[in-house]
Amino acid sequence: MRLPVLTAFMICWGLLGSAAAADPKLDSVKAIPDGLNKDVAAMVSPQGHRVVVDGGAVCSVWFVKELPLKDKFKPSLSVKYPFVPGELLGVLQIETKSKFTDFRGQEMKAGVFTLRYGQQPEDGNHVGTSDLSDFLLAIPAAADSDPKPIKLLDSLTKSSAKASGSTHPAIFSLLPADKVPEAATLTHDGEKHHTILTAALNGKGLEKKIPLRMIVIGKSDH
């Protein structure tokens, strides 16, 4: 990914998950998970979002309390979010009994992960994978102790590859979001088999919220 950075936005990669199950539901969570560095934990809101399928929890997502944004940002055809590459957006917890994958279909083990914003590189290795460049990258919480943005692309991708157990980072796709939701919602795209979490993030220093749409269950067809 062209990450100078994401996302799991975000919210339970583009969170991108795997299992295509019927009628996923959204529950609220009141506390952040164990296993986070104390400095990272201090940045995250205790109010989280849990994806439940067939009565069992699949994953949960928490977002940061306040999110720094790019100055004078204007969306382009491929980049829709005013986030700083490498910055911390939230936290993802994958449940023990769920079979979970990222947007590339890479299996991820149960555990706690940070979610950082990134952009898909414009190179031959990623042609056709997505029309959009906005993604979240998951990093094992034990390997991410500094809440400051990870500015180096190589450091970001290598850290995220620890979450996928491969040479490629664990990614979750973000979709365009124009309207700020009154409350977090979960919707399903039956054609693409994507379950999408829509939530609102607090822009730092702004008296407005930033809408975010994250594929929490589903993967790319490419």
Side-chain angles (χ1 to χ4, degrees), residues 18-195:
S18 66
D23 299 321
K25 297 182 179 180
L26 193 65
D27 286 344
S28 61
V29 185
K30 302 298 183 182
I32 60 176
D34 295 331
L36 294 171
N37 173 273
K38 62 182 180 64
D39 293 329
V40 171
M43 303 283 290
V44 180
S45 171
Q47 181 67 47
H49 315 280
R50 176 166 291 153
V51 177
V52 178
V53 177
D54 294 333
V58 174
C59 64
S60 300
V61 178
W62 294 260
F63 293 107
V64 294
K65 298 173 184 176
E66 287 188 324
L67 186 63
L69 305 174
K70 280 186 175 180
D71 292 334
K72 299 179 181 180
F73 171 81
K74 291 184 179 181
S76 66
L77 290 176
S78 60
V79 178
K80 304 298 183 181
Y81 287 91
F83 304 146
V84 177
E87 72 179 344
L88 179 71
L89 262 70
V91 171
L92 165 69
Q93 182 176 33
I94 300 174
E95 301 295 334
T96 303
K97 295 182 180 180
S98 69
K99 291 183 179 180
F100 196 86
T101 75
D102 75 346
F103 194 58
R104 297 185 76 248
Q106 300 177 115
E107 290 189 11
M108 296 177 63
K109 295 181 179 180
V112 178
F113 306 83
T114 58
L115 293 172
R116 291 182 179 267
Y117 174 70
Q119 294 172 354
Q120 179 171 265
E122 296 179 353
D123 58 33
N125 293 327
H126 298 86
V127 172
T129 57
S130 175
D131 294 331
L132 301 171
S133 296
D134 300 299
F135 282 85
L136 295 179
L137 289 82
I139 299 175
D144 195 355
S145 60
D146 190 342
K148 294 179 182 179
I150 299 176
K151 297 181 179 181
L152 295 178
L153 170 61
D154 188 56
S155 296
L156 182 65
T157 56
K158 284 184 177 180
S159 295
S160 182
K162 296 176 182 178
S164 63
S166 71
T167 58
H168 195 283
I171 62 172
F172 296 87
S173 181
L174 296 179
L175 302 177
D178 298 323
K179 184 178 180 181
V180 177
E182 294 183 2
T185 61
L186 203 64
T187 56
H188 186 69
D189 184 332
E191 182 178 349
K192 294 184 177 181
H193 304 293
H194 291 168
T195 296

Side-chain angles (χ1 to χ4, degrees), residues 9-24:
F9 187 176
M10 152 317 265
I11 296 150
C12 185
W13 100 187
L15 282 170
L16 300 186
S18 66
D23 299 321

Side-chain angles (χ1 to χ4, degrees), residues 66-67 69 180 201-210:
E66 287 188 324
L67 186 63
L69 305 174
V180 177
L201 281 66
N202 296 316
K204 189 173 183 179
L206 300 178
E207 295 182 357
K208 69 176 184 179
K209 293 183 178 294
I210 307 300

